[in-house]
Structure formats: structure tokens, C-alpha cells
Amino acid sequence: MMFYSQVCTEEEIHSMDKISVIMPAYNVERTIDKSIQSVFKQTYQNWELIIVDDGSTDHTKEKVFSWMNKEPRIIYLYQTNRGVSEARNTGLDRANGEYISFLDADDLWLPETLQILYGHMKKLPNAKFVYGKTKELFLDGHNDLVGPTAHDGYLEEFIHTNNELRLAYHISGVLINLNLLRQYNIYFESGIRVSEDTGFFIEVMCVTKAYGINKIVSQYVRRNGSATGMQKWKPKDWEGQVVIYFRIERFVQNHRPEAISSFKAMRNYVIYRYVLNCIRNGHLSEGKLYIHKWKMYLQEFSIGTGRLNDKLKCRLMMLFSDYPLLLRYLGRL
């Protein structure tokens, strides 16, 4: 099996499976050149790069067009600003490769990224979803790997005993069979501001097994302006982390019923953590509102699996819901 563009003829390149790379872009004139270049340098060369401009107001379009003049495999799509999920969905609808991969316009691939992921896919006869590791770079100079050690499994294998979802990968380090996504109508949930890919990957891991490889394939830059790097915690920015579980619960029930109990425990834990963060960040009125709104799920969490300390805090939250001073004290614990 041939991979390297340095030794492949054009005929050999086109005999490989095409990989559609989806790159959402919004006001990324300062970073998109390097991201595109990291795709251009791939040793695996049968790819198309679909750049979805989500209503940029800077010179993102001009940057992309300068690449398109010399690279016919780049496809540029423009849409009014609807968010990164809708941008990725637009790319999914346009893709015509056998496989899908994602790269944000401020992240980078290693030259062998597609080669590693595609090679791992082809080693496993039934694989439809593979992933590698991602190095997270911080502005202060230190770095870390995203998630725990790579391992294989369906959804339930990525839910920790404390009811936390612990994905071993970043979105820039995956390769997925496109027909699988279309067969089950899997898209990104719109209107989610933080961790918008959570629901997408939960659904994927309900219908196919994830196969990991412990090799670094991408670099993710944690920036102050990124969604996960927001400095001031606001309830409206993070509520989607809870909402997404209600949206996809039926999908999990229908396609991975053996994981539904773990999924519900995870949902209840996410609700607890969200309400606790409301209180810790001084949003006491919102905390009270959500305690009453999601009381049933908080009660389930308080008597279910998980850390005893968290379950005790959850019971106290419900007990103190009408007493702001006690809630504020609880938030400091």
C-alpha cells in the first residue's frame, strides 16, 4: 500500500481512498496559512480540503483564495455566521471522500497525520473510526496531551467510573467513514458554544467502535479567545453542555441501549457540575433556577454512582436552593 507523495505517481494517488478534510474558518487571517500548509504537506496526498468560511469579516477569504490559485484540491464555501457546528455540517454535506477528517483553522497537523490515521484504519478490517493523539500547546509555552492514553471501545468505554466522559482524542486527530455518518444522519448540534463536538462523538461511538493509536498526529493551540479558553464563566456560554445530552438521549437509547444507563449517569453528573459552577462563579439566581428545573436529575445523581463528596454537595445544593448565603458558602467548598 502506497502512502508517500514523494514516491507516488498521480495514478497511484487517485487509487487511494479520498479523504475530505473539513476546516471551519471565522476571522482566522493570522493562522489559516499555517493550517492549510500543514494539510498541503501531508505525505498522504489523496485529499480534498473544504474550507467553510463562517461569515468572516477580516481577510480570511483572500488568504484562502491565494492558496486556491495554486492548489485545485481546496474548496471554498461561504455562509453567513452560524457557528462552528453549522460550518462543519456544511462541510459534511459537501464532502465526497470515503473518509472525513477535521482541522480547525488555528490547529496544525504533522506531515504524517493522514498517513498514520489511514494506515491504522486499513489495518483493522471493520474499523470506521480511528484516532490519534493531540498535543495541546498553551500560550505560556508548556504543553500537554489531550485526554488519557489511547484505547479502543464504544461509548461506555470512554465514560469514567466517576461518570465523566473522557475522550482520548481531539477533533483534529480523527478519521471517520463518511458513509457511516450519512447512514445514521450524524451531524454536529447547532447552538452549542462550548464542547460543541461532544454530542457528535457520543453518537459516532454509539454506532461504531473507536480505535486509538498512541501517536501524536496534531497540535491544538489553546488561545485566550477560544471557547474553551474563555476567562469569565457565564451560564449561557456553558448551558449547551447540558442541553446536548437531552438532544441526543434518544439516539443513544436506539443505537447503543447497553450504554444508556452510563449515559444517563454521565448526563446527571454534567448537570450537577454545571449547577455547581453557577454557584461557584457567583450566579446564584441561575443556580437556584437550574436546581429546581433539573431537580429530578440531581436527585438521581445524589443517590447514584460517583464520588461520595460530589453526591453530598449535590444534596446540600438542593437543600440550600432557597438560601443564597448558604449556596455561596457551599460554592467555596
Side-chain angles (χ1 to χ4, degrees), residues 299-313:
Q299 288 174 334
E300 290 177 4
F301 173 74
S302 71
I303 59 174
T305 60
R307 289 183 288 257
L308 178 60
N309 184 52
D310 285 328
K311 292 190 289 184
L312 289 175
K313 281 185 180 179

Side-chain angles (χ1 to χ4, degrees), residues 52-275:
V52 184
D53 187 342
D54 190 39
S56 295
T57 56
D58 64 355
H59 294 96
T60 294
K61 178 179 179 180
E62 288 77 8
K63 292 284 187 179
V64 175
F65 274 38
S66 68
W67 279 94
M68 292 176 66
N69 290 333
K70 53 189 175 183
E71 180 46 74
R73 290 172 294 178
I74 296 178
I75 300 164
Y76 174 83
L77 304 175
Y78 179 87
Q79 64 182 30
T80 55
N81 182 252
R82 302 201 299 272
V84 65
S85 291
E86 289 294 339
R88 289 182 182 137
N89 290 340
T90 297
L92 284 173
D93 285 336
R94 175 61 177 79
N96 62 10
E98 284 73 24
Y99 297 99
I100 287 288
S101 197
F102 301 94
L103 184 67
D104 286 351
D106 56 357
D107 297 335
L108 301 172
W109 275 346
L110 277 63
E112 300 84 10
T113 292
L114 293 182
Q115 173 191 335
I116 291 171
L117 294 174
Y118 182 78
H120 195 52
M121 182 81 76
K122 287 303 178 180
K123 289 178 183 177
L124 305 165
N126 300 315
K128 295 185 177 180
F129 173 28
V130 299
Y131 68 89
K133 298 301 296 179
T134 297
K135 180 183 290 186
E136 186 173 14
L137 307 177
F138 295 82
L139 295 181
D140 63 6
H142 81 282
N143 60 77
D144 201 358
L145 290 180
V146 174
T149 302
H151 59 281
D152 305 339
Y154 285 91
L155 171 62
E156 57 269 27
E157 273 78 54
F158 290 85
I159 301 176
H160 191 261
T161 53
N162 291 326
N163 304 317
E164 294 177 88
L165 180 65
R166 293 190 178 178
L167 298 181
Y169 50 86
H170 182 262
I171 192 169
S172 62
V174 305
L175 187 68
I176 307 172
N177 182 282
L178 178 57
N179 285 336
L180 177 80
L181 301 180
R182 290 179 173 166
Q183 177 185 353
Y184 291 97
N185 197 34
I186 297 175
Y187 285 94
F188 292 87
E189 294 287 338
S190 61
I192 307 297
R193 299 189 62 179
V194 180
S195 300
E196 71 290 332
D197 54 356
T198 298
F200 176 85
F201 285 118
I202 287 176
E203 291 185 344
V204 171
M205 292 190 297
C206 282
V207 297
T208 194
K209 192 174 184 177
Y211 293 92
I213 182 169
N214 277 305
K215 292 184 179 180
I216 295 174
V217 296
S218 63
Q219 295 181 346
Y220 160 60
V221 181
R222 178 72 71 112
R223 303 180 188 279
N224 289 335
S226 67
T228 51
M230 288 183 295
Q231 296 180 349
K232 189 173 182 180
W233 197 96
K234 298 178 181 178
K236 66 178 182 179
D237 291 333
W238 294 85
E239 185 180 7
Q241 284 195 320
V242 175
V243 171
I244 203 166
Y245 283 87
F246 292 107
R247 291 186 184 178
I248 66 175
E249 182 175 337
R250 181 174 295 180
F251 187 97
V252 178
Q253 179 69 67
N254 291 341
H255 297 291
R256 192 68 184 167
E258 53 267 69
I260 193 63
S261 61
S262 297
F263 172 84
K264 289 181 177 179
M266 179 172 59
R267 174 205 61 201
N268 295 342
Y269 175 76
V270 169
I271 291 173
Y272 157 72
R273 293 295 304 179
Y274 174 78
V275 176

